[in-house]
Amino acid sequence: MQKGWHGVRAALSEVNYRNFTIGNVFSLVGTWVQRVALGWLVWKLTGSGAWLGAVAFADLFPMVLVTPLAGAMADRSERLRVTRISQALLMVHAGLLTVLSALGLLNPGLVLVLALVGGIITAFNQPFRMALLPSLVERPNLISAVAINSVVFNVARFVGPAIAGLVIAKGSLTLAFAINLGTFAVFSWTLARIRLVSVETTRSANGGLITAVVEGWRYAVGHVGLGAMFLTLTVVSLCIRPILELMPSYAALFGTDAGKFAFMTSVIGLGALIGALWLSRQADPAALAKMSLSNGLMMGAALFVAAVARQEPLGVAALFIVGFGMVLSGIASQTVIQLAVPDHLRGRMLALHSMIFRGAPALGALVIGALSDLTGLRGPLVAGAAVTFAFSGIVYSRRKLILKSLGL
């Protein structure tokens, strides 16, 4: 297994993975530009945390309903072809949003509908896109490839909001949406350049899609190690990650300008980027699993500080740590899953990971956003921090049993 930067270089030396990564960089930057612009648009139109939570819910919650079926399909379908089709649909969606913005037709209700449509397409795309990864790299480079994907995601999380902040400051939300359209076009082009030497084969299931989904969930629940990792990811995603969807509301605690909002979103992205770069040098699956099980303690403490901070610098520092912890949670759990599950279950396990990673923050943002309109944002964030810290402490106390069940 390649270690450190040697593993990174080895993964990027593989042409198919390099093409995928180049397109992915552009696409994710554009996605974050659009996401930040939509959040700012909804906040300016409504001034409501509940509306922010509702739009986040529409965007993210389809993962809960669509992704399990898509994951089962990813275990019996050609992953590259479906990824290409779904990316093309997302490009059409971005084009529609750009046109409607240019015509001045966007309102909260329409944004909600468009967020739902985009969420459904993304929910279908995600397990195919993630399960495709082992077909693009040799297995010794898989940890590095997953880490690079996380670096790419978090570069986008840092760069995208910064671009969005500049665009919003100029008063051109339409340009933000047009940027996303252009980046999707680039990714579609790079996907078309991928040529697999041999299509990854998967064991066909005898039953229907629902049966296949249930089989995958039973495997996850019955596996002590994977079950603990999925449950930990659920709690973190429900209680910690919604602050990202509610960032316009959090930034408003310290001021109301778009630049502050984009800056704080970028700080989370910077923390995640540093975490991803650090993790890209980690080649020990056991160490990654320990990080996944323990970092809820750090994230719970950091979110508590962010929630109670009255001085902006303290809040910004806490957001940086939250971002660092987010990437540890996501990349460590995904890498262990990629390495631990048999290939005929890979799509379903990664679909479950995606369902939790995107669906749980949707529910958390909806609940926390609604409560924030009643009690203010600080109280619900403190409650989420306390739950995460307590639960992570319980899980970490059982880490030896969990790691043994994972064979680590």
Side-chain angles (χ1 to χ4, degrees), residues 110-170:
L110 186 54
V111 169
L112 188 69
V113 172
L114 289 171
L116 178 61
V117 172
I120 291 171
I121 300 172
T122 301
F124 190 83
N125 166 269
Q126 193 80 350
F128 282 91
R129 186 168 163 175
M130 293 173 67
L132 176 65
L133 191 60
S135 300
L136 305 177
V137 294
E138 298 293 334
R139 184 174 177 83
N141 297 325
L142 185 57
I143 286 182
S144 295
V146 174
I148 292 167
N149 272 13
S150 185
V151 170
V152 167
F153 179 83
N154 291 292
V155 165
R157 186 186 284 181
F158 175 64
V159 174
I163 294 173
L166 293 174
V167 173
I168 292 171
K170 298 295 183 180

Side-chain angles (χ1 to χ4, degrees), residues 197-212:
V197 175
S198 60
V199 177
E200 187 176 12
T201 57
T202 57
R203 191 178 75 185
S204 60
N206 294 324
L209 286 178
I210 300 299
T211 301

Side-chain angles (χ1 to χ4, degrees), residues 26 34 52 71-72 77 81 111 115 153 157 190 244 312 330 336 371:
F26 281 94
Q34 176 174 295
L52 284 174
S77 304
R81 181 172 63 88
V111 169
F153 179 83
R157 186 186 284 181
T190 59
L244 195 56
E312 183 178 337
V336 171
L371 289 175

Side-chain angles (χ1 to χ4, degrees), residues 268-340:
I268 292 181
L270 180 60
L273 173 59
I274 299 300
L277 288 170
W278 179 69
L279 278 176
S280 68
R281 296 178 56 84
Q282 308 302 313
D284 182 5
L288 291 174
K290 289 178 183 177
M291 293 174 198
S292 180
L293 296 172
S294 64
N295 97 101
L297 296 169
M298 177 182 68
M299 295 180 73
L303 183 64
F304 177 83
V305 172
V308 301
R310 302 291 173 174
Q311 294 78 32
E312 183 178 337
L314 182 59
V316 168
L319 291 178
F320 178 88
I321 297 173
V322 168
F324 187 91
M326 281 182 183
V327 77
L328 260 64
S329 176
I331 190 175
S333 59
Q334 185 190 145
T335 303
V336 171
I337 292 167
Q338 288 274 25
L339 293 171

Side-chain angles (χ1 to χ4, degrees), residues 2-26:
Q2 299 281 352
K3 294 184 179 180
W5 299 119
H6 296 293
V8 172
R9 287 195 295 269
L12 289 174
S13 70
E14 301 192 43
V15 176
N16 283 330
Y17 181 70
R18 186 167 64 247
N19 282 331
F20 178 87
T21 301
I22 290 171
N24 207 22
V25 169
F26 281 94

